[in-house]
Amino acid sequence: MELLEHLKQLGVEERLSVLISKLADACADISCVVEAGKMCDKAGTCNTFGEEQLALDVASDRLISSVLDKCEDVAVYASEELEEEVKTGHDAQDNFGVAYDPLDGSSLVNVNLAVGSIFGIYKCDSFIGKKGDDQECAMIAIYGPRTTIVCATKAGVHEYTFCDSKFNLTKENLQIEKEGKTFAPGNLRACLYNPGYRNLFNYWLDNQYTLRYSGGMVPDINHILLKGKGLFTYPGYKDMPDGKLRLLYECAPMAYIVEHAGGRATDGKIRLLEKAIESLSQRTPIFIGSETEVMTAEEMLK
Ligand code: P6P
């Protein structure tokens, strides 16, 4: 069953279903750009975080923003690759706000590893002051051996695979079990300064957890969603107490998806979906995945 038809069958609001479908089509275009692999060189520009952009980042961002600019149901969008929120001028009541990371982990394309796009969809005219709980939908696209999307709404978390120019339902109602001995430990350098993180790492080793870490947040969390277990961590450390990953563009959408699949997502203390967006560039530590595994991490970090 095709994406749009399935969303309608789930009872997802028509305008939201159409927006999701348009973003999915933009992801299909991005997968072609990624596959071509010709745009891995630097664009000669930096994003809002001072990180050098690849031509791939800029191209991916434009493929999404060009859809959003034309969509009358979208009042505002924010991209990890742009300085500020972009008001589209379509200010009708209950219009959508789309926050996105167009190509997370783009530097991995150069070494032929999977990468992805991340979307958080709200009903808003600005993201400041919103919380992850306010999202109407969160979605990731995974550009790997197959191009897939995992889309979460109040109607559950489902996977769709791109084939014959359309996204078709391939896995319904993804669920994450309470326990799962698989770990994706980001930022292990933090073990040097954070004895709690070192204790947690030793706990994983002592209990023979299976390591599954690629350096790409999207494929690493997609692994947890499809295997139905495990956890991903990226703590802060001395130089970056709030860690590296962004609340609005990466962590809040991932938290929405994982919680709707029965998992847990916190910053080590606070549920991520309750953290207010204070700035577009706000970072947060993240512990996300199987509920018991995340709670064990929280205990070890105390
Ligand atoms: P590190 C990719 O650059 C990214 O933003 C996430 O996709 C990934 O989880 C993280 O950074 C990897 O960070 O410090 O391991 O390179």
Side-chain angles (χ1 to χ4, degrees):
M1 183 184 296
E2 198 173 345
L3 169 62
L4 192 51
E5 189 187 345
H6 186 239
L7 292 173
K8 287 179 180 173
Q9 187 186 79
L10 291 171
V12 176
E13 179 189 345
E14 169 90 17
R15 295 190 315 141
L16 178 57
S17 299
V18 170
L19 174 57
I20 291 167
S21 180
K22 285 178 179 174
L23 291 172
D25 289 345
C27 292
D29 293 339
I30 292 172
S31 72
C32 296
V33 174
V34 168
E35 194 175 336
K38 294 192 184 73
M39 304 175 85
C40 296
D41 48 3
K42 292 185 170 56
T45 52
C46 287
N47 65 15
T48 49
F49 303 94
E51 296 159 344
E52 279 192 309
Q53 290 175 307
L54 301 181
L56 212 46
D57 294 314
V58 176
S60 302
D61 182 65
R62 288 203 182 123
L63 282 167
I64 295 166
S65 61
S66 62
V67 167
L68 297 173
D69 284 330
K70 293 192 289 260
C71 186
E72 295 192 359
D73 291 327
V74 172
V76 62
Y77 62 84
S79 165
E80 187 182 284
E81 300 303 332
L82 299 176
E83 293 274 342
E84 304 292 337
E85 292 179 336
V86 175
K87 308 278 190 185
T88 62
H90 304 131
D91 298 332
Q93 178 71 21
D94 271 351
N95 263 7
F96 296 106
V98 181
Y100 64 93
D101 182 353
L103 199 61
D104 182 73
S106 55
S107 57
L108 296 170
V109 174
N110 235 353
V111 293
N112 200 24
L113 283 176
V115 289
S117 304
I118 311 171
F119 301 88
I121 303 177
Y122 301 73
K123 281 191 176 175
C124 68
D125 55 14
S126 173
F127 299 99
I128 305 304
K130 303 304 281 183
K131 297 180 180 178
D133 268 333
D134 297 327
Q135 293 173 105
E136 300 288 326
C137 166
M139 180 167 88
I140 52 175
I142 303 92
Y143 312 113
R146 298 182 301 282
T147 293
T148 59
I149 59 174
V150 172
C151 181
T153 63
K154 290 188 276 288
V157 185
H158 313 283
E159 181 204 54
Y160 307 84
T161 300
F162 193 67
C163 182
D164 298 334
S165 307
K166 55 186 191 300
F167 280 96
N168 296 299
L169 177 66
T170 38
K171 286 185 181 62
E172 264 194 298
N173 292 315
L174 296 179
Q175 288 295 313
I176 298 175
E177 298 160 21
K178 297 292 181 209
E179 297 185 0
K181 297 175 74 170
T182 305
F183 68 123
N187 199 15
L188 285 178
R189 60 185 78 82
C191 287
L192 212 53
Y193 312 100
N194 181 338
Y197 199 45
R198 183 183 288 272
N199 292 341
L200 180 57
F201 186 74
N202 289 332
Y203 170 83
W204 290 325
L205 296 187
D206 297 343
N207 290 275
Q208 298 183 310
Y209 276 51
T210 301
L211 175 65
R212 287 291 179 271
Y213 187 77
S214 75
M217 185 187 200
V218 172
D220 288 343
I221 293 181
N222 186 57
H223 185 280
I224 294 169
L225 288 162
L226 296 190
K227 294 294 184 184
K229 62 180 182 177
L231 85 157
F232 172 95
T233 62
Y234 202 103
Y237 60 110
K238 189 163 68 87
D239 300 348
M240 297 184 78
D242 287 332
K244 167 184 183 184
L245 302 175
R246 292 79 176 185
L247 179 59
L248 176 62
Y249 300 118
E250 292 156 334
C251 297
M254 287 299 191
Y256 184 93
I257 294 169
V258 166
E259 280 206 7
H260 279 75
R264 178 180 174 86
T266 72
D267 66 0
K269 299 189 184 81
I270 302 165
R271 186 172 162 264
L272 285 176
L273 294 179
E274 289 170 13
K275 294 183 78 167
I277 307 292
E278 291 162 3
S279 80
L280 300 180
S281 59
Q282 182 180 348
R283 299 172 193 263
T284 178
I286 179 171
F287 298 82
I288 186 169
S290 293
E291 185 179 38
T292 305
E293 306 301 338
V294 174
M295 292 171 79
T296 300
E298 290 162 4
E299 272 309 303
M300 292 265 171
L301 289 162
K302 279 177 183 165

